[in-house]
Amino acid sequence: MKSLFAQSVAGRVGYLPEKPEKSAAELLSAHLLRKVEPQLPELSELDVVRHFTRLSQQNFGVDSHFYPLGSCTMKYNPKFTEQAAALPGFTRLHPLLAQMPEGERYTQGALQCLWDMEQALKEITGMAGYTLQPMAGANGEFTGVKLIAAYHKDKGNKKTKIIVPDSAHGTNPASAVLAGYDIVNIESKDGMIDPETLEAALDDDVAALMMTCPNTLGLFETHLPQIVEKLRKVDALLYYDGANMNAVLGQMRVGDVGFDVVHLNVHKTFATPHGGGGPGAGPVGVSEKLLPYLPVGRVEKRADDSFFLNFDYPKSIGHIAPFYGNFGIVVRGLAYIERLGGEGLRRASTFAVLNANYLRVVLQDTLDIPYNRVCMHEFVASAPEGQRALDIAKGLLDRGYHAPTIYFPLIVKECLMPEPTETESKQTLDAFVEALMDAVAEGRDTPEKAHEAPVTLPIRRLDETAAARQMVLTEDMA
Ligand SMILES: *Cc1c(COP(=O)(O)O)cnc(C)c1O
């Protein structure tokens, strides 16, 4: 497919704006004028519309395909959340306005959104307070670890280590290292954190345990109370990676179990797709004792019900992201939460889990499922003996399905991690199962053919290492 520049035809125009009354030379001083004409492609409006429509169709997206990408929760996000975020009262607001003299009264609605979102997340998770600043899940983890560090520093604790089980998300150890901690990795046992292994790793240097729940195997930790009790003994804090909260919304509350810090992914769990490289929001909730360290400014409410930003928190870790984080994502999430309500959120997590278990059970004769028990919103399977997960994933693309996550988590060989999400129907899941069985059969009967996939897409199988290391960004790729 040719780029717009390669399609350019001299003199072709799309839109003819009215001729301005004054020329650029009359309006601007000489040093601001360009010396050469801009080198823009010359095209008709239809050329441009077709180009971008074609480009958009070369990709898989939730609006066009079932997208069971485990851990990423590529569910359908209802369009009313986009409409809420696009309201001119939000989009035309300058982020500094709330902090300007007089600005407060023009920003009450936006401040109330932030306030309402914090109240909703507190109620959903049972935490004492939230910051909405972090701009993604991993940014939330970094913020959470900074809060843990601030707490220990304030108490005079000398702590250097954070325990991360091998069933935690890959970003957890990365965030803890960025925040200056050494990582102690512990092995899970039968897919769970093993209290004895944890005990052996615990000493006074441990600042926190960072765990993902449901973990990367899609399983819910069964030893939570024991884990909490053990960490308390050495004044270590408990960090809960709640990026995949869509599995537990309305079923359990992290704060009630005794966790000190949790981050959520508003993208994934509420509304806004994940994985598009677009903006996200990773709010961090904390227990009472970590409240003084939360980033500023915090949205607060006066006795007369007006909202303001409070920067008066001397122990705060400061700013973690500009202004209030990705405000538009928070608005989408809030719209979603308010429209669904408590019962709706509970139904969402119920169906997320039901759908995953349905897939797990109907696929158990097709794939190897190492931890074959009731899962949460996703499960992990291995390609059948002698087959490659990569071939099956690429085969699914030819059959019109985005592939599940593959080769993650690292603790399961040749793994595929499907996450159907709550928004898919039984018909869609059944059709996916059929496609997957077909791809597996092809891998078994004609492995050379399976190795060729995908054959129907604009781009065939890439050498992904070479694609990253020797990038070729020329115009006319076939
Ligand atoms: C997606 C995810 C993250 C990271 O979130 P980003 O928004 O991609 O930074 C962290 N933990 C878990 C369990 C996740 O699924």
Side-chain angles (χ1 to χ4, degrees):
M1 190 169 156
K2 283 185 176 170
S3 74
L4 287 179
F5 288 93
Q7 291 177 51
S8 177
V9 177
R12 185 172 290 177
V13 287
Y15 170 67
L16 282 178
E18 271 178 50
K19 238 188 157 42
E21 278 171 22
K22 288 186 174 176
S23 70
E26 285 172 292
L27 288 166
L28 300 170
S29 45
H31 75 282
L32 294 173
L33 295 174
R34 7 169 117 252
K35 309 266 174 314
V36 282
E37 288 288 304
Q39 303 296 300
L40 297 174
E42 296 175 75
L43 298 157
S44 72
E45 182 173 322
L46 186 54
D47 291 335
V48 177
V49 168
R50 287 202 177 135
H51 178 78
F52 284 109
T53 304
R54 231 180 274 134
L55 267 186
S56 75
Q57 290 167 343
Q58 296 203 346
N59 220 338
F60 280 71
V62 181
D63 285 355
S64 57
H65 296 86
F66 178 45
Y67 206 129
L69 191 66
S71 197
C72 290
T73 314
M74 301 300 287
K75 69 185 183 191
Y76 175 71
N77 295 120
K79 298 286 179 262
F80 75 82
T81 63
E82 299 293 329
Q83 287 160 7
L87 290 172
F90 294 136
T91 55
R92 305 182 73 176
L93 209 51
H94 193 284
L96 256 182
L97 190 58
Q99 292 167 48
M100 304 296 265
E102 296 288 309
E104 215 179 271
R105 66 193 172 101
Y106 298 109
T107 49
Q108 285 297 302
L111 291 175
Q112 186 177 351
C113 281
L114 295 168
W115 167 270
D116 286 351
M117 184 63 154
E118 184 176 348
Q119 306 318 308
L121 297 182
K122 277 159 62 176
E123 188 177 335
I124 290 167
T125 57
M127 304 305 286
Y130 266 86
T131 172
L132 305 179
Q133 269 181 31
M135 303 187 104
N139 195 207
E141 293 168 27
F142 178 71
T143 307
V145 179
K146 282 286 198 198
L147 292 168
I148 289 169
Y151 166 84
H152 286 307
K153 188 166 172 228
D154 200 21
K155 279 193 82 179
N157 290 344
K158 300 238 173 321
K159 307 246 186 195
T160 54
K161 303 191 288 200
I162 287 190
I163 299 181
V164 184
D166 60 5
S167 54
H169 196 73
T171 46
N172 291 189
S175 303
V177 165
L178 270 182
Y181 283 99
D182 298 328
I183 305 302
V184 181
N185 205 284
I186 57 169
E187 253 180 62
S188 52
K189 192 169 157 190
D190 193 26
M192 295 286 110
I193 294 176
D194 173 32
E196 279 170 32
T197 312
L198 176 63
E199 177 92 54
L202 273 179
D203 60 33
D204 287 335
D205 295 339
V206 174
L209 165 78
M210 271 183 107
M211 55 176 277
T212 302
C213 190
N215 67 23
T216 53
L217 296 166
L219 302 174
F220 197 84
E221 287 294 339
T222 44
H223 307 295
L224 286 184
Q226 281 159 279
I227 293 170
V228 173
E229 188 196 309
K230 286 187 194 307
L231 281 133
R232 288 279 174 257
K233 280 194 203 144
V234 293
D235 198 12
L237 300 183
L238 288 122
Y239 186 102
Y240 188 108
D241 178 335
N244 298 314
M245 192 56 69
N246 58 318
V248 289
L249 285 172
Q251 318 285 347
M252 73 76 112
R253 302 202 317 162
V254 182
D256 297 345
V257 184
F259 280 77
D260 300 293
V261 190
V262 58
H263 88 264
L264 310 177
N265 280 32
V266 175
H267 54 300
K268 297 187 180 175
T269 297
F270 300 112
T272 304
H274 177 259
V284 174
V286 294
S287 59
E288 203 82 39
K289 60 179 183 251
L290 289 168
L291 283 175
Y293 313 106
L294 281 177
V296 287
R298 304 201 51 208
V299 179
E300 291 176 11
K301 198 176 183 173
R302 297 191 185 91
D304 67 356
D305 282 350
S306 64
F307 298 95
F308 70 107
L309 286 168
N310 191 348
F311 289 86
D312 190 17
Y313 284 93
K315 291 184 174 178
S316 162
I317 60 169
H319 254 89
I320 210 78
F323 306 113
Y324 328 98
N326 282 322
F327 178 72
I329 305 301
V330 172
V331 172
R332 287 172 175 85
L334 181 63
Y336 181 88
I337 291 171
E338 299 221 331
R339 179 70 66 90
L340 266 72
E343 218 23 69
L345 294 178
R346 199 195 317 275
R347 267 171 66 83
S349 64
T350 304
F351 282 108
V353 171
L354 179 65
N355 278 356
N357 280 286
Y358 178 72
L359 273 192
R360 177 181 61 82
V361 172
V362 291
L363 283 170
Q364 60 193 358
D365 297 327
T366 307
L367 301 170
D368 294 332
I369 302 179
Y371 304 92
N372 197 4
R373 54 182 187 250
V374 174
C375 63
M376 300 300 286
H377 60 301
E378 63 193 8
F379 67 98
V380 179
S382 288
E385 196 59 39
Q387 288 194 41
R388 299 220 55 203
L390 185 64
D391 290 345
I392 298 171
K394 299 294 184 192
L396 278 170
L397 299 180
D398 274 337
R399 288 163 179 82
Y401 293 93
H402 193 283
T405 296
I406 53 172
Y407 300 108
F408 180 81
L410 306 174
I411 46 183
V412 175
K413 70 174 171 79
E414 290 300 328
C415 77
L416 300 121
M417 185 210 266
E419 176 180 5
T421 80
E422 65 271 21
T423 51
E424 299 296 339
S425 66
K426 180 171 179 295
Q427 288 73 21
T428 301
L429 300 187
D430 286 339
F432 170 72
V433 165
E434 215 168 283
L436 197 141
M437 286 176 167
D438 195 46
V440 168
E442 184 175 82
R444 180 189 60 226
D445 302 336
T446 49
E448 328 68 49
K449 203 166 155 222
H451 200 61
E452 288 290 302
V455 295
T456 58
L457 299 188
I459 306 277
R460 300 284 303 272
R461 198 177 298 200
L462 292 176
D463 177 339
E464 288 177 16
T465 314
R469 297 269 162 84
Q470 301 153 27
M471 239 185 273
V472 184
L473 298 172
T474 53
E475 284 207 341
D476 291 316
M477 297 168 58

